[in-house]
Amino acid sequence: MIVRRENYQGTIHVPASKSDAQRALIAGALAGNSAIRNIGKSEDVFNLIDALRLLGAEIDLSHGSALISKPIVAPFSGRVIPGESGLASRLLIAILATNAQDVVLDGKGSLRTRKVDVYSELFPELGVQIETTNGSVPVRLNGKLSGGEMIVDGSHGSQYISGLLMALPLCEKDSIIKVENLKSRPYVLITINTLKEFGISVKVMANDTFEIKGNQKYQATDYLVEGDWSAASYWIVASALGYNLQIKGLALNSLQADKMILDVLLASGCKIKNENDGMKVEGSNLHPFEFEASHCPDLFPALVTLAAFISGTSKIKGTNRLYNKESNRAESLISEFSKLGLNIYEEDNSLIIEGMSQLNSAQIDPHGDHRIAMSVAIAAMFIEDGVSIGHPEVVAKSYPDFWQDLNSLKE
């Protein structure tokens, strides 16, 4: 795939949030008789649907919606494969643990290197035997999650916390989770909000403590999935750097962590305009920024592209959140943007980017990472001789229509 500078302009309709969709699909599959609308087209979502069907759910797809007529059936046994999704795997492992009879959760690609150590440490104390493969999937589970009081290390990310919040309401005992060093807090709040929509109550207490009553039941719900701020971040950056784009389909009151890109834009001197049910960004006279991205690590790739074209030194903190993604995303960003002539390096848990007005043409390897491919593509929109991006199909993990949307902006 070759992308180069052209006169891009027009409207982007943001795809559905795969993060929101996956939470809702699992909740709907626990409830039954639910409709999850605007599920999007990402591979992660359809792989999750296949996994839920293996667990007994009956799900029909119609006009962008998943119609769930029958819920998943416990006890859980056999083998479940939710593709390459880290979120789906960590949510499902917790759900399966509520009533596991020799069930195995496996995965594909990079998922087989992504760790599930938090569950390995926690489950044996809660009545569940767990066997991992070098700390990753395949994972074998036996037993019933008991609930109770627990202390959980949140430094490894929020997906484990979200999994527990979804599973513990199904346990007989009441539970209290005390999370130490919680990262990606907004994603936990999204989970709690989704649970509320499906009739599940979680009490948020002080100091990242959560109280969950046992013996709760998921209620049938008609749920609308939000537009994806993660996917939108690339077009938002393209708009901030000078293209006349209107981005539609975003909820400005969203709890999604990646909405924090608006804070970066304002700090960099951008003006954000909301008109005709869409958003435009004006970014003349941009200046460097410093941003703490520990709670929204998926913004790193788009923010690197933004910083690359702002003269001066920008700093994005929280690179420790990038090591357990589809690639080692810190290394991938440094490797590929360096090929474009950018001075980018890691220092003190941060990416340091020395921006410049012009980047070079190059051949890029996205390292199997959808977000690397998309961030480089946006950078290439500002490079006269263009950039050749290998394995463009990797964007299907989250945004299958990315290249189609990019081409639609050409005059």
Side-chain angles (χ1 to χ4, degrees):
M1 174 66 67
I2 297 176
V3 181
R4 58 172 52 88
R5 182 193 295 274
E6 299 194 41
N7 187 22
Y8 299 97
Q9 62 177 324
T11 300
I12 291 291
H13 295 273
V14 175
S17 165
K18 72 183 182 77
S19 175
D20 189 21
Q22 288 177 94
R23 287 168 169 82
L25 284 164
I26 292 174
L30 288 165
N33 296 317
S34 294
I36 315 300
R37 306 194 185 278
N38 188 37
I39 60 171
K41 300 178 181 179
S42 80
E43 286 183 347
D44 281 358
V45 165
F46 288 106
N47 285 330
L48 172 58
I49 289 171
D50 288 342
L52 294 172
R53 285 170 170 161
L54 286 174
L55 295 171
E58 292 190 7
I59 305 174
D60 292 322
L61 302 178
S62 176
H63 303 292
S65 297
L67 308 177
I68 305 169
S69 55
K70 290 187 179 181
I72 58 177
V73 181
F76 306 115
S77 59
R79 194 176 196 88
V80 181
I81 304 176
E84 199 175 358
S85 172
L87 173 61
S89 66
R90 288 168 184 151
L91 297 182
L92 282 178
I93 288 172
I95 298 299
L96 295 173
T98 61
N99 196 339
Q101 289 189 358
D102 199 31
V103 62
V104 174
L105 185 137
D106 202 348
K108 300 177 180 178
S110 64
L111 189 61
R112 288 194 162 207
T113 64
R114 298 174 73 173
K115 301 299 182 183
V116 292
D117 292 345
V118 172
Y119 289 146
S120 299
E121 297 169 4
L122 189 63
F123 280 1
E125 299 178 2
L126 300 175
V128 178
Q129 299 175 12
I130 177 170
E131 299 174 18
T132 69
T133 306
N134 298 319
S136 305
V137 301
V139 171
R140 185 180 299 274
L141 300 165
N142 275 287
K144 286 188 177 183
L145 201 64
S146 64
E149 296 190 16
M150 61 201 76
I151 297 174
V152 183
D153 180 3
S155 65
H156 300 290
S158 66
Q159 293 175 353
Y160 302 100
I161 312 305
S162 289
L164 291 169
L165 290 173
M166 297 191 78
L168 290 172
L170 302 172
C171 298
E172 292 184 2
K173 294 170 61 175
D174 297 345
S175 298
I176 294 177
I177 309 175
K178 173 69 174 82
V179 184
E180 296 180 341
N181 195 22
L182 176 60
K183 300 297 184 184
S184 297
R185 183 177 287 104
Y187 290 102
V188 173
L189 298 179
I190 288 175
T191 301
I192 292 171
N193 185 67
T194 302
L195 290 171
K196 183 179 178 181
E197 293 291 318
F198 286 86
I200 299 295
S201 175
V202 174
K203 185 177 180 181
V204 181
M205 305 168 71
N207 301 317
D208 292 328
T209 300
F210 305 92
E211 184 179 285
I212 307 104
K213 294 292 184 182
N215 291 309
Q216 297 190 60
K217 294 184 182 298
Y218 281 76
Q219 304 298 317
T221 301
D222 193 315
Y223 187 94
L224 180 63
V225 176
E226 290 186 352
D228 188 6
W229 279 89
S230 301
S233 66
Y234 306 101
W235 307 118
I236 289 171
V237 166
S239 180
L241 292 174
Y243 283 114
N244 182 20
L245 306 182
Q246 185 176 49
I247 300 107
K248 291 190 172 185
L250 294 171
L252 293 178
N253 62 349
S254 174
L255 295 174
Q256 292 178 51
D258 292 341
K259 191 182 74 170
M260 294 175 71
I261 192 171
L262 299 182
D263 297 337
V264 182
L265 296 175
L266 293 172
S268 300
C270 291
K271 294 180 180 179
I272 301 167
K273 295 184 176 181
N274 296 303
E275 54 186 44
N276 299 323
D277 297 321
M279 181 173 66
K280 287 187 174 182
V281 183
E282 295 181 357
S284 58
N285 300 317
L286 293 175
H287 47 79
F289 61 88
E290 184 172 310
F291 181 66
E292 172 57 72
S294 292
H295 292 296
C296 48
D298 286 345
L299 280 183
F300 263 90
L303 293 182
V304 166
T305 302
L306 177 66
F309 292 99
I310 299 177
S311 295
T313 302
S314 294
K315 183 177 185 179
I316 312 171
K317 301 178 182 178
T319 51
N320 62 309
R321 301 299 318 285
L322 300 180
Y323 305 146
N324 200 24
K325 299 291 186 180
E326 285 79 3
S327 67
N328 180 327
R329 200 166 279 164
E331 288 185 357
S332 298
L333 286 166
I334 292 169
S335 168
E336 302 314 304
F337 274 87
S338 293
K339 293 177 183 177
L340 302 179
L342 183 68
N343 188 11
I344 174 174
Y345 56 94
E346 186 175 5
E347 180 179 274
D348 297 331
N349 194 35
S350 301
L351 281 184
I352 311 299
I353 303 103
E354 296 181 3
M356 52 204 302
S357 60
Q358 182 63 48
L359 297 181
N360 303 328
S361 178
Q363 291 187 341
I364 296 299
D365 174 9
H367 299 265
D369 192 326
H370 53 132
R371 301 200 190 280
I372 300 299
M374 290 186 284
S375 63
V376 171
I378 300 303
M381 293 168 69
F382 298 89
I383 298 175
E384 196 69 40
D385 293 330
V387 174
S388 176
I389 302 170
H391 302 288
E393 70 279 359
V394 297
V395 301
K397 187 176 194 303
S398 63
Y399 194 166
D401 290 340
F402 177 81
W403 303 116
Q404 178 181 325
D405 285 354
L406 176 64
N407 287 328
S408 75
L409 299 175
K410 296 178 182 178
E411 276 201 329

